[in-house]
Each structure stands twice: as structure tokens, then as C-alpha cells.
Amino acid sequence: MVVRHYLGYGGDGTLVGVSGSGDAVVLRGVRKRYGDVTAVAGVDLTIAAGEVVALLGPNGAGKSTTVDIMVGLRAPDAGEVSLYGMAPRRALDEGRVGAVLQAGALLPNATVGELLRAIAALQPHPLPVAEVAAAAGVSELLRRRTDRLSGGQQQRVRFALALVGDPSLLVLDEPTAGLDVAARRDFWAGVRRYAGQGRTVLFSTHYLEEADEVADRIVLIDRGRVVADGPTTAIRAMGSARQVRCTLPDADPDALRDLPGVSSVEVHGAAVVLRSNDSDATLRALLAAYPLAHDVEVNAAALTDAFLELTGAEAH
Amino acid sequence: MGTYLLLEVRRTLRSVPFLLYTVGFPVGFYLLFTQVFGGGASNWAAQYMVSMALYGAMGAGLTGVGARIATERTRGWTRTLALTPLRPAGYLVIKLAASVLLTLPVILLVMLAGFAVNGVRLPVSTWLLLVPLLWLATLPFTALGIAIGYSARDEVANGVSIVLLFALSIGGGLWMPVQLFPGWLAAVAKGLPSYRAGELAWRVLDGHQPFGAGALVFAGWLVALLALAGWRFRRAS
């Protein structure tokens, strides 16, 4: 069972607060079905300018469809999408959005430099190719043919292609899937440089570590729905929460609350339930301070169940 | 769009299969069939020259450009383009312009072989007329290639366009004159766009103006294949 848990934006299909055109991304009630399969089952999402947001979820959660709809490559069955207060197509035409999507082979028989210049020429306010190449870490590849690049190099070139229009919003759909650790690190270094200039980044991933290291906000998505949305620190705390249960006669809730890691205490007669962000420390302190505590159990908190179910084995 | 078009032309000219099959084959076969199996009618060298130029130009349009659309669509390059201000119609215009430019080296090289190796001598006005005429003659096949490019996945599109290239060029009398065909096959050939396309140029060599009664058949094919390409394009985008 997945627990619906809202930490920030959204909730039951309604948006909290009023979103103006200053927001980089606004999705309202977006739905998409492919035949009998519901890929996106009503997503509401608002991303303010300057945020770095991870769309985190297992394979098949609807991340790619959501991203495709966001950049206007697929029309939603229902709902609205706006980027900087305009339709995605117009935002793309104005060069405000760059994206690295899945399944986008590079054009063969061209050099990286030629490709960057050709795409730059299509954009209304392109950046100098040399500048983009440096930002994406492809300066030494400009004369290389696109069919002679490693996976990591190809991905950095695709990143450069997304940057060449000088976008203020960057959308990345599982950009590091299939890359090794070094290629992954190089890729994210480029994204961090870009985000460091105060621009907006939304990326999808099924790696918790990537979301944790790069994003300042995480949106958890599962079965086409947003199931949690909040600052990365809050989501991380969800991941470590545990319940410690024990039987302890005459327990003093206030004293128990002072144990390390404990965030909340419930006492029902002799039954005690502690919520903890560090169950190991809580347990050691509990047994040392209260030798009479017995029938001790440590469980993942309900939210953690949901979280583990969401992020799957890949994340751990 | 100009920069992108230039890239399109340059990278196609870098492709070894394109150079081999689309440029090398027509020139090679032209020289082979005129030098080795030479003789025959005195205007054979000139006639076969425009036939092979047309075959090469058809290849550039049908397999060199049109069907490559299928590859770019299948492998996702068109998704990357969709994220730029370039619209699908603009992309198609670039592909059409590229095919027009890419047929030029084929046409010129076969003509050069005719002039330099086989001693084909024509009035300057005829040489000058043949180039745009062969461009026009290629158009239905480029349209067919585009239709295939928007209909099939890459391997299928490649295979189908190569089969069609040979069926149409051989069937239309570009490899051997229709006069040598048995009667029933000649009747079929005369209904094909490739024969009617070749006829535009052959008529000029015979001292006629290019557009005779057969030009109506050509025009019919041209309109039909352009419509097919337009329909497939709209369906796909």
C-alpha cells in the first residue's frame, strides 16, 4: 500500500497558493492513458524559477510521460501545462526550455561542433558554441564525429545541445541511465554548474542518491501520481524513520522524548511507541536507561514502507 | 535553417554508402555499359548518360534523403529537433532542399563522364536544360522516399526504398532501353513514373521539347506521390 503523504505543494488535486507566470512549470490535473494503461493519473506540480527538482520514482511510474507532456512532445488527455505562463510549444520557440530526453540518438556523420552550430542556428538567442561546450564538458570533443563517442560523451553532447539555446528551464529525463559512475559524476557536475547560475532544473531519476545529491526538492511519483513532494531534507528524513516498540511499565513520555533520535512518543499503559530517525542510537540508549524495557521491536515506519516501495531496490 | 541544411548536405556527402551507391554506381555502370557493351546507336552514349544520371538522382532522393527520415525518426533525432523552434514542416523543407542539392553532384558527374570519356557533344543549351529537367524528373521519387520515411521504421524503410529504386529504374528502362523489352513489359514500363521521367530528358536529346503527351502521365505521378508524401507527413506529425 502506498501512503499518500504531502509535505509541500499540492494535495488531493488542488494547488496550494496561487501560481503566477513567475513559475517555471505548472502542471494541473495532467492525465494520460495508453490504451488500458494509465501512465499519468492526475499530476499537479508547480516549480518556481530557480528550483532544482528531482522527479523520483521507479521504472514505469510515469516519469517519462510526465516529462514528455511537460515539454509539449505529447498532448495530455486532460489537464493543463504551462511553462513561464505559456504553452510548452511557445516556450520552446522562445528558447526558454532545453531538454535531454530518452531515446534521442545523435545525428550520424556529423561532428559535435557542427551539430552544436546547426542547432544553435535554429535557436532565437543561442549561446556561443565554445561557451556551451565548456559548460557541458565537451570542449575537447568538438571535432569528434558523433558516431565515435562513448555513452557518457554522447550524453554530455546531448546536454550541450539542450543548453545551446540558453534556456532558463532545463528538463532531463533519466539523463544518467546506463552511464558508469565516472560519466555520471561528470554529467552532474555540468548540471550543477548550470543550476548554480540560478536557473531551473527538473530531472527524473530512479536513483535516490542522485535526487539527494543534486536536487533541493524531491517529487516522488508512483503509478502516475505524486505521492510525496517536499524539500530533499524532509524526504531524506522519511527514508530513515523507524518505529521502536517496547513494553515498559510506568514509562515517562517526557523522559523518553529525550532519548537520542526520538521524534515522537506514544504511551498506552505499558506499551510504548517511539518514532526515531536513528533507531540504533535510540535502542542503545533505551536499553541502557530502562533495563526493564522488554518485547522490543524495531519496524520501518509506514512512510518508509511507501518510500522503499517507491524507490525500489535500485536505490538501496 | 541554412546552417542546418548545410550540415545535412555535408554529412550526407561524408556517408560512404551514399557515395558508393548513389554516386559511384551510376557513374560506374554508365562507363561499364557504354565502354564494354558499347556500339549500337550513335546517340546511345548520350541517352544512357541521362538514364544513369536519373537513376543516380533517384537514388539520392529515394534512399539518400527520403528514407533517412525514417532512421532519424526511429532513433529519436527528430525528438531532439522537436525541442527547437524548427517545426516538422521546416524539417521537411530542409530534407527536400538537401535532396535537390545532393542530386546535383550525381547528375554532374555522370554528365562529366559522358562528355570526357564517351565524347558526348551536345549544344550548351541542351546541357543547361538537362540539369533542371533531371531535377524535376527526380521529384516524384523524392516524394516517394519521404512517404516511406514517414511510414516505416528504419530498416524496413531502407529495404523498401532500395527495392523500389531498382524495380522502378530497371522497369522504367533506365538500365536498358524499353525498345529491347518484350511488348507486354514495355506496356507496363510506359505506365511507370521512371520511364516518363526519363522520357523528359530523352526527348530533349532527340531534339524535341521535353513535355510531350507522356508528360501528363509524369505529372499525374508527381501529383499523386507528392500527395502521398504530404499525407504520410501529416499523419506522422
Side-chain angles (χ1 to χ4, degrees), chain A residues 128-166:
Chain A
V129 165
E131 188 180 312
V132 170
V138 297
S139 297
E140 74 285 9
L141 299 176
L142 289 177
R143 293 169 161 276
R144 188 85 63 88
R145 292 266 291 265
T146 53
D147 24 82
R148 291 170 198 159
L149 299 172
S150 72
Q153 289 169 336
Q154 278 183 38
Q155 206 59 355
R156 295 210 301 279
V157 170
R158 297 176 65 213
F159 179 50
L161 288 171
L163 291 186
V164 81
D166 193 18

Side-chain angles (χ1 to χ4, degrees), chain A residues 29-34 37-42 65 69 74-78:
Chain A
V30 169
R31 292 170 177 278
K32 182 75 183 178
R33 293 174 68 89
Y34 301 113
V37 181
T38 300
V40 180
T65 305
I69 289 170
R74 272 179 219 280
D77 296 337

Side-chain angles (χ1 to χ4, degrees), chain A residues 68 73 89 92-93 99 101-105 107-110 114-115 118 121-123, chain B residues 1 3-4 7 10-11 14-15 72 75-77 79-87:
Chain A
D68 281 3
L73 290 195
R89 184 67 256 173
L92 287 167
D93 286 350
L101 302 178
Q102 296 201 42
L107 206 56
N109 296 320
E114 285 173 334
L115 208 52
L122 298 173
Q123 293 287 359
Chain B
M1 269 170 59
T3 315
Y4 192 92
L7 170 64
R10 280 163 69 175
R11 62 182 210 85
R14 260 182 219 145
S15 148
E72 290 174 21
R75 306 210 181 146
W77 174 248
R79 271 168 67 86
T80 301
L81 283 180
L83 298 167
T84 71
L86 183 68
R87 296 298 164 87

Side-chain angles (χ1 to χ4, degrees), chain A residues 257-273:
Chain A
R257 197 167 285 118
D258 290 338
L259 291 172
V262 171
S263 57
S264 72
V265 176
E266 286 174 50
V267 176
H268 306 286
V272 173
V273 180

Side-chain angles (χ1 to χ4, degrees), chain A residues 9 15-28 44-51 53 70 81-88 91 96-97 168-169 198-201 217:
Chain A
Y9 296 82
L15 278 168
V16 178
V18 180
S19 52
S21 62
D23 290 322
V25 178
V26 178
L27 302 186
R28 285 177 212 261
D44 294 292
L45 180 64
T46 302
I47 298 174
E51 280 192 287
V53 179
M70 193 181 293
V81 184
S82 76
L83 306 178
Y84 298 103
M86 54 185 110
R96 305 193 69 169
V97 186
S168 35
L169 167 67
R199 297 195 263 194
T200 314
V201 179
R217 174 179 160 202

Side-chain angles (χ1 to χ4, degrees), chain B residues 82-102:
Chain B
L83 298 167
T84 71
L86 183 68
R87 296 298 164 87
Y91 172 76
L92 185 57
V93 167
I94 287 175
K95 288 287 177 189
L96 271 171
S99 92
V100 167
L101 292 174
L102 286 164

